[in-house]
């Protein structure tokens, strides 16, 4: 029943069988792994699955995660209650992408620092303020820098809990144990230039004590110190052994994605059920422990890091506290904070496998149930393998737990795989321009009945990693597969095309190539051809140039196909030829989860969809639209891990990694405004309140429409929509500064001309002088004092600025109405809040010109000469 296994498991099973058929000798290659961690989707009881050799480690309802011997997989897949079996898929944080935007460091001189808040200013938040209070906002990411100023105040942390599923693992015996001795090993993370030596213990007879295993590992490699690996528990196998990685493995330079995985193998290796099980053991940190580390950073080696910096950045967008930013970032003198700074921030630091994400989600559900609080989960990981139809086991599990009343919403980044930049000329010695990765990791097309189709894979110079690809097609068609190396590598092809189903390991132009073809993969019965190209051993790289995929249909039925590069990352140097790239259907897993909210990214300055933002729809029969919504994803200001007291503690970043936490924060605000919302209502009201998609093109290109979803998330309307008519009598809501659009960057560029025209009249000169004296303070108050922020945006201040600055030479009157409301009333409310929050000088000046400001709607700038400071016309 290979059709129930994913392509990776099929390849592993076939490789193990091929090795077993060989005559062993001293020169033979070592055997491939004979056990694997997998997930099984069930439609019935699990007893028969466990009787067939599966060892359950995580029971998530219809999804089980556990360990199994590879040779038992086909017997397990044959069981009626087994729907599908998938490998422990490896995701990565959604990478940050380059921007064509101007570098903030190149902008004009920043305005002067605003004066400190005066005694008369409002210091306590208003009763109607919505900040996400009472909602758990959980991030599943690479960790968090607890020392960054975004996450503590007055020596106390703003973090509710930390969860780590990377540093501790437990080895226990399975019910099928038959051996009496074993060896233990783990592969240390690679160094800068080469893999680190594998740590393998001597063969240890049972029982194995913790000290015996510690001694067996000690001194294997001089670089491994006593504090780097600690063994507890035992004696084994009666009791589990617990291995905790610390020291060099818990540092600010080691990414959690490459932390070691412990393996225990019987000695000698023999076929049969899985003998041992390795579990991840979560580590929890409460606020008191975090506070202790904050008070004594030099004395307490806190076992929670964020070497990648990804989790610190995304957490600051979701729930970071507003903070001052040094003046070196021009025109951005402060960090406006996260979308829901009042929410209970939880960070779950996970490893590369789906099992760690699933374990983290299970813990977050338990935490929310214990606290009796609604939960919003933000996931910023992506896996590019699979059918892209929302049916991976992690996606299925997430949809299942969202439907549970204990979880309100899951928000996921769509990914940054949508761009399609031209490749460098063939034969160049450079990788993509500027050394940055170009996209182009998806192509599609149709193979005619009994006909051929080809696609070209461009490989850049110095591609030193194995490149994997998956071809998915459906229907009654049957495809054969062939692969041809570039001309520079003598244009060799496979010995023979691979038919369906089939498996081949061959050498093409000195490159090891593995191909597997599987038919009828559930639940949609799709067919998959997976293949990989490994670097040529002599050159230790894949030959650059265009590799050609040749497909041929053999059954008389046309076949629509999609091909994806397997798990594209920042260092992938292979992509499809520019003219063959397809930007649609580039949303990766788990963003295809049906009930989750998937988020694309757009540029907040020009309101265009980000070129890199992944486009939908899914590849299921109904072509489910994904993403559902979009949020700012270009030039988003985020916290930088490790820059706690550095002038560059905050910086702009690009990618849907920063769009999704923005939306997760909005969802937290919606839930605080109406805690009775179910998950389907949250998504519905969020989408209904969006601003429409924008593009300078008319109409919007279809591929961009596939990336916009319902449009641009509007936090104010979303919270108002969530609150509903029944709760409208609670009064106007005030949201955090991040919920409102940033101050337009073109204000400074065009304001000089507007000022020159205004100064042609006495009243205009008075207004210009007032603006010169108080511009920095007013801007600061608009972005940091939430009542001022709300008043500014409710009077549609950004729209008024755009109107004033769009054409500084026009003579039409200042509009009387904006957004369907009288502009004068909005100006009056803004002045009231500025007087309450501002300095004495600002209060005095605003009071003196209040009448003039209220009289502006309906008056052309040229007519200001007829008005005095009190707004009285002559």
């Amino acid at each position: 029943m290979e059709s129930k296994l994913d392509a990776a498991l099929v390849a592993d099973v076939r490789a193990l069988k091929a090795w077993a058929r060989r005559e062993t000798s001293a020169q033979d290659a070592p055997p491939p792994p004979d056990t694997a961690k997998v997930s099984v989707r069930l439609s019935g009881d699990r007893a028969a699955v466990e009787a067939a050799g599966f060892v359950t480690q995580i029971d998530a309802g219809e999804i089980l995660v556990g360990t199994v011997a590879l040779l038992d997989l086909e017997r397990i897949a044959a069981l009626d209650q087994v729907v599908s079996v998938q490998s422990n898929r490896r995701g990565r944080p959604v990478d940050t992408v380059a921007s064509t935007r101007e570098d903030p460091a190149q902008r004009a001189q920043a305005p002067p620092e605003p004066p400190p808040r005066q005694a008369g200013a409002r210091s306590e938040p208003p009763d109607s303020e919505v900040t996400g209070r009472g909602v758990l906002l959980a991030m599943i990411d690479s960790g968090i820098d607890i020392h960054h100023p975004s996450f503590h105040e007055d020596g106390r942390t703003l973090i509710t809990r930390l969860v780590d599923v990377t540093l501790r693992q437990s080895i226990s015996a399975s019910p099928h144990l038959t051996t009496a001795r074993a060896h233990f090993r783990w592969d240390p993370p690679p160094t800068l230039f080469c893999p680190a030596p594998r740590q393998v213990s001597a063969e240890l007879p049972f029982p194995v004590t913790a000290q015996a295993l510690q001694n067996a590992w000690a001194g294997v490699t001089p670089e491994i110190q006593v504090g780097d690996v600690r063994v507890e528990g035992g004696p084994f196998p009666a009791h589990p052994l617990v291995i905790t990685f610390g020291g060099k493995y818990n540092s600010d330079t080691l990414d959690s994605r490459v932390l070691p995985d412990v393996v225990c193998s019987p000695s000698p290796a023999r076929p049969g059920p899985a003998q041992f099980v390795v579990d991840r053991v979560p580590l929890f940190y409460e606020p008191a422990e975090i506070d202790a580390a904050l008070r004594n950073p030099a004395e307490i080696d806190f076992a929670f890091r964020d070497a990648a910096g990804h989790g610190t950045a995304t957490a600051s967008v979701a729930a970071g506290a507003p903070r001052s930013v040094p003046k070196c970032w021009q025109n951005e003198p402060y960090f406006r904070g996260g979308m829901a700074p009042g929410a209970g921030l939880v960070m779950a630091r996970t490893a590369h496998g789906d099992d760690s994400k699933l374990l983290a989600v299970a813990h977050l559900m338990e935490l929310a149930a214990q606290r009796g609080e609604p939960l919003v989960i933000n996931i910023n990981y992506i896996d590019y393998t699979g059918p892209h139809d929302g049916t991976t086991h992690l996606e299925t599990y997430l949809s299942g737990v969202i439907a549970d009343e204990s979880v309100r919403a899951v928000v996921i980044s769509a990914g940054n795989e949508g761009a399609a930049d031209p490749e460098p000329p063939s034969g160049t010695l450079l990788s993509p321009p500027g050394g940055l990765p170009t996209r182009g990791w998806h192509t599609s097309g149709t193979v005619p009945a009994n006909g051929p189709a080809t696609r070209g894979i461009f490989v850049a110079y110095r591609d030193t990693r194995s490149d994997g690809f998956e071809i998915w097609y459906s229907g009654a068609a049957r495809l054969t597969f062939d692969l041809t190396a570039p001309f520079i590598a003598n244009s060799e092809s496979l010995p023979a095309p691979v038919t369906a189903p089939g498996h081949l390991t061959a050498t093409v132009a000195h490159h090891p190539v593995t191909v597997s073809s599987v038919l009828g993969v559930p639940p949609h019965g799709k067919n998959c051809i997976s293949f990989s190209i490994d670097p040529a051993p002599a050159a230790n790289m894949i030959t650059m140039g265009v590799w050609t995929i040749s497909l041929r249909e053999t059954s008389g039925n046309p076949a629509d196909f999609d091909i994806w590069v397997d798990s594209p990352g920042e260092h992938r140097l292979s992509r499809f030829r520019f003219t063959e790239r397809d930007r649609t259907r580039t949303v990766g897993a788990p963003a295809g989860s049906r009930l989750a909210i998937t988020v694309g990214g757009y540029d907040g300055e020009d309101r265009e969809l980000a070129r890199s933002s992944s486009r939908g729809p899914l590849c299921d029969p109904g072509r489910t639209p994904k993403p559902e919504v979009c949020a700012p994803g270009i030039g988003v200001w985020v916290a930088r891990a490790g820059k706690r007291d550095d002038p560059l503690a905050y910086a702009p970043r690009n990618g849907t990694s920063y769009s999704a936490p923005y939306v997760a924060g909005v969802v937290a605000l919606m839930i605080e405004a109406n805690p009775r919302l179910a998950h389907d209502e949250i998504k519905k009201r969020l989408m209904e309140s969006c601003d429409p998609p924008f593009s300078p093109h008319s109409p919007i290109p279809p591929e961009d429409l596939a990336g916009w979803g319902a449009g641009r998330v509007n936090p104010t309307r979303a919270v108002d929509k969530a609150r509903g008519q029944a709760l409208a009598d609670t009064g106007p809501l005030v949201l955090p500064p991040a919920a409102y659009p940033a101050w337009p960057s073109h204000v400074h560029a065009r304001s000089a001309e507007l000022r020159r025209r205004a100064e042609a009249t006495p009243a205009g000169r008075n207004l210009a002088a007032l603006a010169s004296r108080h511009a920095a303070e007013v801007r600061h108050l608009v972005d940091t004092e939430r009542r001022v922020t709300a008043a500014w945006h409710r009077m549609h201040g950004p729209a008024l600025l755009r109107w004033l600055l769009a054409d500084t030479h026009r003579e039409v009157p200042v509009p009387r109405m904006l957004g369907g409301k009288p502009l004068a009333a909005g100006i009056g409310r803004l002045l009231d809040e500025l007087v309450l929050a501002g300095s004495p000088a600002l209060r005095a000046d605003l009071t003196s010109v209040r009448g003039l400001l209220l009289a502006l709607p309906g008056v052309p700038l040229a007519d200001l000469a007829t008005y005095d400071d009190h707004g009285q016309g002559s």
Side-chain angles (χ1 to χ4, degrees):
M1 296 294 292
E2 279 192 345
S3 63
K4 293 186 182 180
L5 309 180
D6 70 11
L9 290 176
V10 169
D12 288 344
V13 171
R14 290 173 176 174
L16 184 60
K17 287 181 175 179
W19 178 87
R21 287 193 297 267
R22 297 174 61 187
E23 292 184 3
T24 59
S25 70
Q27 286 75 36
D28 278 340
D34 59 353
T35 62
K37 181 167 286 188
V38 302
S39 58
V40 177
R41 184 176 179 183
L42 293 177
S43 61
D45 187 70
R46 75 185 199 188
V49 178
E50 292 178 334
F54 181 82
V55 182
T56 302
Q57 296 170 258
I58 303 174
D59 185 348
E62 66 172 321
I63 305 295
L64 301 179
V65 177
T67 300
V68 65
L70 288 175
L71 297 182
D72 287 336
L73 277 175
E74 291 175 319
R75 183 168 69 255
I76 290 174
L79 297 173
D80 291 340
Q81 57 265 60
V82 172
V83 177
S84 56
V85 186
Q86 292 181 358
S87 55
N88 190 26
R89 301 157 59 90
R90 297 194 170 201
R92 56 176 174 82
V94 179
D95 52 292
T96 299
V97 296
S99 173
T100 56
R101 281 267 218 94
E102 177 187 20
D103 187 338
Q106 304 298 322
R107 296 178 186 170
Q109 179 64 34
E113 287 290 328
R117 187 188 311 192
Q118 302 299 311
R122 188 181 280 114
S123 58
E124 292 299 321
D127 292 339
S128 57
E129 181 183 52
V130 176
T131 63
R133 289 184 298 263
V135 180
L136 284 179
L137 182 49
M139 318 294 295
I140 296 181
D141 216 306
S142 62
I144 193 170
D145 181 357
I146 65 166
H147 298 279
H148 196 282
S150 282
F151 308 114
H152 63 85
E153 190 157 19
D154 298 327
R156 298 180 64 85
T157 185
L158 302 176
I159 301 169
T160 298
R161 177 176 284 193
L162 302 177
V163 186
D164 186 290
V165 292
T166 66
L167 291 175
R168 181 172 291 177
Q169 299 173 51
S170 170
I171 303 177
S172 56
S174 86
H176 310 290
L177 180 67
T178 59
T179 188
R181 54 181 59 237
H183 60 266
F184 302 77
R185 67 172 174 84
W186 46 277
D187 295 321
T191 61
L192 181 62
F193 299 106
C194 60
R198 172 173 287 181
Q199 306 299 301
V200 183
S201 73
E203 185 179 80
L204 298 177
F206 296 163
V208 180
T209 65
Q211 189 61 53
L213 182 55
Q214 186 89 50
N215 294 340
W217 269 334
V220 173
T221 302
E223 291 79 10
I224 307 299
Q225 303 300 315
V226 174
D228 295 333
V229 183
R230 186 176 73 251
V231 184
E232 301 170 290
F236 182 83
H239 303 281
L241 289 169
V242 179
I243 295 91
T244 303
F245 291 94
K248 66 184 296 183
Y249 298 114
N250 180 42
S251 69
D252 291 326
T253 59
L254 188 62
D255 193 332
S256 62
R257 290 172 292 172
V258 297
L259 287 172
D261 284 329
V262 176
V263 176
C264 182
S265 300
S267 187
R270 60 172 63 89
Q275 307 265 324
F276 308 104
V277 175
V278 179
D279 285 303
R280 295 193 176 276
V281 181
L283 295 170
F284 308 124
Y285 304 92
E286 303 297 336
E289 298 171 88
I290 305 172
D291 288 342
L294 291 175
R295 290 191 299 268
N296 304 291
E299 299 177 15
I300 298 180
D301 185 18
F302 191 70
F304 199 96
R305 311 283 182 164
D306 184 20
H310 195 266
T312 299
T314 58
S316 69
V317 176
R323 291 290 182 263
S324 295
V325 173
K327 291 172 62 176
C328 61
W329 287 115
Q330 311 304 327
N331 293 334
E332 294 287 353
Y334 37 79
F335 173 65
R336 303 170 77 222
M339 183 61 67
L345 178 61
V346 181
M347 173 59 72
R349 182 184 190 229
T350 57
H352 44 59
D354 276 1
D355 64 319
S356 69
K357 313 314 187 282
L358 196 148
L359 186 61
V361 171
H363 168 73
L364 295 172
M365 293 175 60
E366 181 181 348
L367 176 65
Q370 291 172 352
R371 297 172 64 98
E373 295 178 341
L375 174 65
V376 179
I377 300 175
N378 176 214
I379 302 176
N380 296 304
Y381 276 86
I382 188 169
D383 176 11
Y384 215 48
T385 59
H388 289 67
D389 59 4
T391 61
T392 71
H393 289 176
L394 181 58
E395 290 171 321
T396 302
Y397 171 69
L398 290 174
S399 289
V401 299
I402 294 169
D404 189 324
E405 287 301 316
S406 63
V407 177
R408 296 289 179 176
V410 175
V411 182
I412 309 176
S413 306
N416 301 321
E417 327 302 340
D421 304 318
E423 65 268 9
S426 180
T428 181
L429 295 181
L430 297 176
S431 56
L436 297 170
T438 60
R439 270 49 184 174
W441 290 317
H442 172 241
T443 187
S444 62
T446 301
V447 184
N450 298 312
T454 62
R455 287 294 183 268
I457 305 166
F458 177 83
V459 177
Y461 178 63
R462 292 217 46 90
D463 188 348
T464 60
R465 303 187 180 188
S466 175
D467 287 350
F469 305 83
E470 287 189 356
I471 306 169
W472 289 84
Y473 65 101
S474 56
R478 294 294 180 265
L479 299 183
T480 66
F481 169 87
D482 201 357
L483 180 69
T484 305
F487 174 76
I488 195 174
N490 300 322
S491 298
E492 289 186 15
S493 299
L494 292 175
V498 177
T499 59
H503 180 80
L504 176 68
T505 299
T507 300
V508 176
H510 306 292
H511 297 72
V513 173
T514 302
V515 187
S516 282
S517 178
V518 184
L519 300 177
V521 178
H524 300 311
K526 290 185 177 181
N527 311 313
C528 177
I529 302 172
S530 62
F531 68 98
S532 63
I533 309 171
D534 291 336
N540 196 30
M541 68 177 70
I542 299 176
T543 300
M544 67 181 182
V546 177
W547 291 69
T548 303
I549 299 172
S550 299
L551 303 174
R552 178 170 291 277
E553 205 286 319
T554 60
S555 67
N557 298 284
D560 295 329
F561 67 87
D562 291 275
I563 312 177
W564 291 278
V565 180
D566 182 353
S567 297
E570 294 180 358
H571 303 290
R572 286 286 179 181
L573 297 180
S574 60
R575 61 200 62 82
F576 297 104
R577 283 187 296 206
F578 181 67
T579 56
E580 298 171 346
R581 297 174 186 175
D582 184 352
R583 303 172 73 185
T584 65
R585 304 194 289 283
T586 50
V587 173
S593 180
R594 301 303 176 85
L595 298 185
I597 299 169
T598 304
V599 185
Y602 71 90
D603 190 328
E605 284 287 327
D606 59 21
R607 295 175 293 158
E608 280 196 76
L609 186 67
R611 292 176 60 253
S612 59
S613 183
S614 291
R615 275 79 165 160
L618 298 183
C619 291
D620 57 337
R623 287 294 191 257
T624 301
K626 285 282 183 178
E628 281 84 6
V629 297
C630 281
I634 300 292
V636 180
W637 281 75
V638 303
R640 301 180 68 200
K643 306 295 182 182
R644 301 154 192 175
D645 302 312
D646 193 284
L648 303 180
Y650 298 89
R653 291 290 182 265
N654 310 309
T656 59
S657 284
Y658 313 112
S659 309
Y662 178 102
V663 174
V666 172
V667 171
L669 301 181
M670 295 172 68
I671 292 175
E672 183 192 347
N674 185 357
R676 295 174 295 192
L677 285 180
H679 67 90
D680 54 342
E681 278 296 305
I682 292 173
K683 181 188 286 192
K684 177 183 176 183
R685 298 188 190 193
L686 181 72
M687 296 176 67
E688 289 175 347
S689 62
C690 282
D691 294 328
F694 175 83
S695 174
H697 309 288
S698 184
I700 298 175
E703 64 181 19
D704 283 0
L705 276 177
W708 270 114
R712 295 166 287 145
V713 167
N714 186 315
T716 303
R717 285 216 298 265
V719 175
D720 281 337
K721 196 91 172 173
R723 190 169 55 156
Q725 189 63 39
L727 303 174
D729 57 356
T730 58
L733 297 177
V734 179
L735 306 183
Y740 303 98
W743 193 280
S745 64
H746 59 264
V747 167
H748 299 283
R750 297 187 181 180
S751 59
E753 174 61 21
L754 184 64
R755 177 175 177 174
R756 186 191 66 76
R757 294 194 62 221
E759 287 179 338
T761 66
R765 281 194 293 275
N766 194 7
L767 287 178
L770 183 148
S772 179
R773 288 195 299 272
H774 301 297
E777 181 181 0
V778 170
R779 182 183 174 192
H780 183 74
L781 293 174
V782 165
D783 273 348
T784 59
E785 290 292 330
R786 289 174 185 164
R787 281 190 179 275
V788 178
T789 304
W792 165 254
H793 288 282
R794 284 181 179 144
M795 66 166 277
H796 298 278
L800 177 62
L801 275 179
R802 284 193 293 271
W803 183 91
L804 289 170
L805 299 174
D807 183 357
T808 55
H809 297 282
R810 61 180 163 188
E811 300 296 338
V812 296
V814 176
R816 293 183 182 275
M817 306 288 288
L818 268 181
K821 298 179 181 179
L823 179 57
I827 292 175
R829 285 192 294 271
L830 177 63
L831 293 174
D832 290 342
E833 297 299 338
L834 287 172
V835 166
L836 278 173
S839 64
L842 178 62
R843 293 180 213 165
D845 283 349
L846 289 179
T847 301
S848 69
V849 297
R850 182 183 181 92
L852 176 60
L853 292 172
L854 292 176
L856 282 177
V859 177
L861 293 180
D863 292 351
L864 284 177
T866 63
Y867 286 79
D868 59 22
D869 289 348
H870 301 289
Q872 301 298 317
S874 59

